[in-house]
Every structure is written in C-alpha cells, then in structure tokens.
Amino acid sequence: RGLCPAAGRAPAAQPARRPDLRLASLGVVRPAGAATAGALHGTPILPVAITSGLSCVPFARMATGMTISGDARLWWNNAAGTYARGQAPERGSVLAFTASGGMRRGHVAVVSRILGPRTIHIDHANWGGPGIRRGTVMRGVVVMDVSDRNDWTAVRVQVGHDSSNFGRTYPTHGFIYNRPAGTRMMTAEAPALVEVAQAAPSPHASQHHRLAAQLFEE
C-alpha cells in the first residue's frame, strides 16, 4: 500500500531548551512522577506542517530528525550501527516494514503512542485506503501486533479512517529508536530518576538532546 522511495531530508526543527530540562549524556530523562509515562516514554515527534504530497520516508525523517538513507525497505539495515533497534515500540521510534507483495519499497511509520502490549498509534504518509489520497499524512492510525511472539514482526494496520477495520498482515523488521546504537531508554520512577543503561558519548548525542527538549514542550 505504501510506496516509499528515498527523498531529500527536510531540516529538523530546533526546539528551545528549557532551563529545568534534565538530560543524561545519552537517552531521554523524563521528570519523576510524570503522568502517562508508559505511553510517552521515547523521543518527541517533531512538527510536520505538510499534510499531503509526501511519501513515508521524507515524512519519517521530518517527524523524527533521523538521518537514515535509502528507500523504506532499506532503513532497518541502514540504521544498523548508527541507531538502536529492537522489537518493542517506543514513542518516536520508527516501525520498519519489509518489502512485500504490493509494497515493494517497504514502508516506515512513526510511533506516536503506546496503547497496550499489542496496540500502538502511528503517524505516517502515503498509505492507501478507502477515502485516502496517495501522499496524505495520517495521524493516530491504529496498528496491532499479530506476531506469535509479540515481537511486532507481523502487524495489521487500520484501514482508511475506520479504526475498527484492519487490513491484511504485513511483515516488519521491528523498531528503529531515535538514539545512538548501544544505548537504551532512560526511565523515571518517583521519587528518583533511574538510569537503565548508558554508553560512551556519541556524535549523535547532540541531535538526540535537541529532540528530547521538544518532548517537554508538548
């Protein structure tokens, strides 16, 4: 359904840093006791004003600030060694679809919300469906994990504007996280912040910090 060739990358927004922002050298730190932490852990989604005429690749780049090259079907492999990857959804991560029948270029979508262990919302572009024009940006689209192991390697996507209707099963690689390879998410538990994992400094850390600052502006 999605035809997602590589395209030029639009510059990412540069959000202002708030004085009370607390960041680790890598990863995202949220304030202790933050509400709806489970749904919001991850990295921010940057504003994308364009609502039509986009394929999935430029939309994902603009919405995340990630600099992965190639068609959507190549993102999983091209992210290796640069961005962290895994099988669990996080807000701001990219769900990478494999190339499959009817979707030879693959597809990428940005996770906007975690609804449950097998249900998420995504924002993406150029996904066909009833009443949906090609190149349209859609937000809050429901995606269900239907894999045997709950590893998100097989999903079904909401059809058109109907959140109760789902199409065929699509294979995916998993999630590309918006942080350097070798790092994991920072979590917050009241009354103190808890660091899950930390790695050596990375050239991508400054970009990640800018994206993290946006999280506190939303």
Side-chain angles (χ1 to χ4, degrees):
R1 289 177 178 272
L3 296 177
C4 299
R9 178 170 59 87
Q14 301 297 318
R17 186 183 295 273
R18 280 175 48 172
D20 61 343
L21 182 64
R22 291 181 291 176
L23 291 171
S25 61
L26 292 170
V28 175
V29 178
R30 290 185 59 80
T36 63
L40 298 180
H41 275 165
T43 49
I45 300 175
L46 302 175
V48 178
I50 301 172
T51 59
S52 62
L54 280 177
S55 65
C56 66
V57 166
F59 173 79
R61 287 181 182 147
M62 287 187 282
T64 65
M66 298 167 77
T67 55
I68 303 172
S69 63
D71 288 353
R73 64 185 177 85
L74 303 174
W75 269 42
W76 181 260
N77 290 332
N78 289 351
T82 303
Y83 292 95
R85 302 177 303 172
Q87 304 308 129
E90 289 178 4
R91 181 173 183 259
S93 63
V94 171
L95 177 59
F97 292 71
T98 69
S100 60
M103 199 167 66
R104 60 186 177 85
R105 292 182 181 271
H107 188 68
V108 286
V110 181
V111 178
S112 57
R113 190 171 185 85
I114 312 300
L115 301 179
R118 285 187 176 267
T119 313
I120 60 175
H121 276 167
I122 61 168
D123 295 350
H124 65 167
N126 203 33
W127 185 273
I132 307 299
R133 180 176 296 179
R134 285 289 186 185
T136 298
V137 172
M138 294 185 66
R139 301 184 185 277
V141 176
V142 180
V143 174
M144 296 191 307
D145 171 37
V146 293
S147 62
D148 293 338
R149 299 183 179 182
N150 190 202
D151 61 3
W152 291 87
T153 54
V155 301
R156 297 180 68 192
V157 181
Q158 170 185 325
V159 173
H161 296 287
D162 187 352
S163 61
S164 64
N165 190 18
F166 294 84
R168 69 176 178 87
T169 298
Y170 290 92
T172 76
H173 292 290
F175 299 91
I176 304 170
Y177 306 120
N178 199 354
R179 57 180 181 277
T183 66
R184 287 183 288 173
M185 181 52 57
M186 305 289 292
T187 63
E189 295 180 3
L193 293 166
V194 178
E195 181 180 333
V196 173
Q198 191 172 17
S202 161
H204 304 283
S206 59
Q207 170 70 355
H208 186 64
H209 288 177
R210 288 194 295 270
L211 294 172
Q214 176 73 19
L215 177 64
F216 293 88
E217 298 296 330
E218 296 182 326

